[in-house]
Amino acid sequence: DLYRKVFVFRKDPSDAYVVLRARLEQPLQNFTVCLRSYTDLTRPHSLFSYATKAQDNEILLFKPKPEEYRFYVGGKFVTFRVPEGRRDWEHVCASWESATGIAEFWLNGKPWPRKGLQRGYTVGATAAILLGQEQDSFGGGFDLYNSFSGELTDVYLWDTGLSPDKMRAAFLSLRLPPALLAWKSLSYEVKGDVVVKPRLRE
């Protein structure tokens, strides 16, 4: 149970990462991924990387610069422009549904204008899911200058699109529906220089 704990990625740039194990029974037609990050990086960095053997950027949350997030599904991406952070924790949720191709992006509990992405696509189930690196091949192919350095917490993946109420609940760390990946019951393995520490503040 990682309640009130964080992963600290200590080095910059770094070859470290965390492998997450999700119980995926079938391919995803819908999903939501949420996480909270704290960093002073201004270079590009990966937050959440979900790769299959067929597609290295099956699901990717990537921050190319401080005022931009990129959300990938099946190798294609949409860009969400955000105010440059005040060097504080940032909570992001990204959701996608195949039927409409609608991509939603929430930052600190607020929705951004929705965009279209990969309508009719299906996300593969046999996945390597990593925090801290961007995969260019299944489970590997890292570019150190896309690595994450800083603190990550509250990582979740659901096989549904969350309702607006639940998106806000995720931001506020309230009760959430059962997830494929849940911070409070996370199955993970640390590779390299990542330390689990208590959160410094709420």
Side-chain angles (χ1 to χ4, degrees):
D1 180 10
L2 290 168
Y3 180 62
R4 295 214 166 146
K5 295 203 168 80
V6 301
F7 290 134
V8 182
F9 293 77
R10 299 193 323 156
K11 284 192 173 127
D12 173 30
S14 168
D15 58 0
Y17 59 101
V18 177
V19 181
L20 305 182
R21 294 193 171 73
R23 295 170 204 59
L24 287 157
E25 318 277 297
Q26 62 221 27
L28 301 174
Q29 302 286 342
N30 310 283
F31 69 83
T32 305
V33 58
C34 294
L35 57 83
R36 213 179 292 273
S37 67
Y38 190 29
T39 181
D40 58 7
L41 290 177
T42 54
R43 63 166 174 76
H45 56 276
S46 172
L47 292 162
F48 181 95
S49 172
Y50 176 120
T52 58
K53 292 203 163 75
Q55 175 51 255
D56 55 351
N57 294 335
E58 191 73 276
I59 302 173
L60 176 64
L61 266 180
F62 190 76
K63 204 164 183 203
K65 47 190 170 196
E67 64 282 1
E68 197 175 287
Y69 279 92
R70 274 188 201 166
F71 175 34
Y72 288 75
V73 176
K76 304 268 186 352
F77 69 88
V78 285
T79 297
F80 294 93
R81 286 172 191 81
V82 299
E84 194 165 334
R86 299 179 304 284
R87 298 285 175 260
D88 202 349
W89 283 97
E90 287 190 0
H91 183 266
V92 296
C93 288
S95 80
W96 172 81
E97 62 180 23
S98 175
T100 59
I102 288 285
E104 272 186 39
F105 180 83
W106 292 65
L107 176 67
N108 295 336
K110 296 188 179 67
W112 254 234
R114 286 171 277 203
K115 303 201 172 182
L117 182 63
Q118 291 286 56
R119 188 177 196 157
Y121 188 78
T122 300
V123 170
T126 309
I129 307 175
L130 306 186
L131 302 175
Q133 298 286 350
E134 192 254 311
Q135 303 175 75
D136 285 328
S137 58
F138 187 71
F142 308 141
D143 172 350
L144 297 192
Y145 290 94
N146 286 334
S147 63
F148 179 78
S149 162
E151 307 192 12
L152 284 179
T153 188
D154 294 347
V155 181
Y156 287 87
L157 175 67
W158 290 271
D159 58 359
T160 56
L162 289 197
S163 68
D165 285 355
K166 292 286 185 277
M167 289 287 201
R168 285 187 279 272
F171 169 59
L172 297 167
S173 296
L174 303 177
R175 268 196 60 182
L176 294 166
L180 300 171
L181 285 172
W183 189 249
K184 289 178 183 166
S185 58
L186 201 63
S187 174
Y188 69 92
E189 189 181 344
V190 167
K191 303 281 193 178
D193 196 347
V194 182
V195 184
V196 175
K197 296 292 283 180
R199 270 180 76 167
L200 291 175
R201 59 185 187 82
E202 282 314 292

